[in-house]
Every structure is written in C-alpha cells, then in structure tokens.
C-alpha cells in the first residue's frame, strides 16, 4: 500500500511540479499510517491519504513540513508525540477524497492526537479551499515551506507551500463539515 500511495501522489503531482523524490519521501514510511477508500476491496483504491507522526512506534523524527526550508514556522513543542501531518491526498473524484479524509480525521480523533498540520500550494485553489474552508484549518501566520528540488513544472520556480493547522476541536468540526458536504462514514482501510 505504501508504494501505491507514493506512486499515486508522484503521478498526480507531476502534472504541476517537478523534483519529486521517492528516496526523500521514504524517510517517513516508518511513522506513517495510510488510508485508502474504495468501493470494492479487490480494486485499486479511489482515494488515498497518509498521516505522518512525529513520534510513532518508538521512532521519532521530523514531520515532512519540518524538513523543508522553513520561514517563520513555529516548531513543535510540548506534546510532540501527538502531532501529525496529513499528506499525499489523491482521489479520482472529490467525494472520494472527502470520504478518505473523513475516515482519517475520525481516526485522528479516536487516537487522541493533539495537533495536525497540512501544507498546500496557495495557487492550488481547490486544496486551499479544502483545507481552510471545508476542514476549517487555520493558516500558521507567515509560515512558508520550500523543498529545494520541488519546483513548478512550467516556470521551475520553487513552490512556497503554506502551512495550516488544527487541533481536536477543529477536526471534530471538520467531520461535521465533511458530512454536510457529502462525505459518508464508510469503512476506511488503515494500513
């Protein structure tokens, strides 16, 4: 499943960006929980998503957001073992993406996690609205993350990813927002 999630994200992002590195991404595998949504268990998933933990199974490391060139980012402090980052969302249809994230957010809440982060390209209006409007996450003021080799396909300029975050209350509201938007509480495969 790890390779399916990685391959899907690599292929999806290659439409707009260059510089993806499987080797770089593999450093998060031992601290990641993968989610997949599909209508049939014997078919490829219609949506995939990954949550990377700061600390998981005795392994501690940085979140993906902490590995880039960070500008004005408030580093994690305190309860770091309960902080995670949601990454690598890919879906066939928007409702599939909402369903897999709905399941991942329910999982986040069931595990008593403390804080969740995501990044998005501010030029990607769909993901910006998904993170800020639908999920209700809040931008970390002035926080921009740049991954040196990851650039826009057309201009080869670095992408300045914006960082958004939420806490337990934010994610409890996100479940309701997702359901109002059409997500359904379906079984999600956690790998």
């Amino acid at each position: 499943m790890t390779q399916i999630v990685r391959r899907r994200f690599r292929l999806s992002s290659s439409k707009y960006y260059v510089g993806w590195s499987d080797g770089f991404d593999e450093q998060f595998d031992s601290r990641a929980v993968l989610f997949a949504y599909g209508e049939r268990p014997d078919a490829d998933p219609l949506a995939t998503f990954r949550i990377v933990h700061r600390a998981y199974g005795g392994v501690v490391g940085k979140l993906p957001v902490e590995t880039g060139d960070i500008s004005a980012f408030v580093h994690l402090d305190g309860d770091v073992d309960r902080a995670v980052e949601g990454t690598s969302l890919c879906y066939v249809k928007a409702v599939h993406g909402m369903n897999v994230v709905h399941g991942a957010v329910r999982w986040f809440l069931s595990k008593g996690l403390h804080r969740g982060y995501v990044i998005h390209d501010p030029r990607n209006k769909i993901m910006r609205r998904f993170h800020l409007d639908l999920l209700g996450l809040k931008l970390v003021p002035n926080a921009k993350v740049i991954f040196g080799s990851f650039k826009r396909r057309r201009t080869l300029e670095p992408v300045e990813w914006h960082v958004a975050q939420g806490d337990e209350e934010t994610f409890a509201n996100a479940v309701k927002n997702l359901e109002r938007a059409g997500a359904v509480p379906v079984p999600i495969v956690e790998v």
Side-chain angles (χ1 to χ4, degrees), residues 30-71:
S30 64
R31 296 177 289 114
V33 176
L34 307 175
F35 298 86
Y37 165 76
E39 294 172 349
R40 294 187 359 238
D42 61 334
D44 275 350
L46 298 171
T48 55
F49 186 64
R50 174 174 75 168
I51 290 180
V52 177
H53 293 255
R54 183 93 190 298
Y56 188 70
V59 179
V60 178
K62 292 181 178 183
L63 294 176
V65 71
E66 296 178 288
T67 62
D69 175 14
I70 300 170
S71 166

Side-chain angles (χ1 to χ4, degrees), residues 131-158:
H131 290 157
L132 304 181
D133 298 339
L134 187 58
L135 296 181
L137 303 176
K138 302 296 182 215
L139 285 174
V140 176
N142 302 313
K144 295 180 177 77
V145 179
I146 297 171
F147 299 96
S149 65
F150 208 71
K151 300 181 184 328
R152 296 186 190 287
R153 176 168 286 293
R154 288 187 180 174
T155 63
L156 297 181
E157 66 181 321

Side-chain angles (χ1 to χ4, degrees), residues 9 20 24-29 31-32 50-55 61-70 73 76 83-88 117-119 145-147 161 163:
F9 191 73
W20 172 265
F24 176 82
D25 192 63
E26 288 169 357
Q27 70 182 299
F28 307 111
D29 290 353
R31 296 177 289 114
R50 174 174 75 168
I51 290 180
V52 177
H53 293 255
R54 183 93 190 298
K62 292 181 178 183
L63 294 176
V65 71
E66 296 178 288
T67 62
D69 175 14
I70 300 170
F73 182 71
L76 300 177
V84 298
E85 182 177 347
T87 72
S88 308
Y117 295 93
V118 296
I119 61 173
V145 179
I146 297 171
F147 299 96
W161 301 92
V163 182

Side-chain angles (χ1 to χ4, degrees), residues 74-91:
V74 178
H75 291 277
L76 300 177
D77 55 5
D79 207 3
V80 297
D81 61 331
R82 291 177 39 207
V84 298
E85 182 177 347
T87 72
S88 308
L89 174 62
C90 291
Y91 51 85

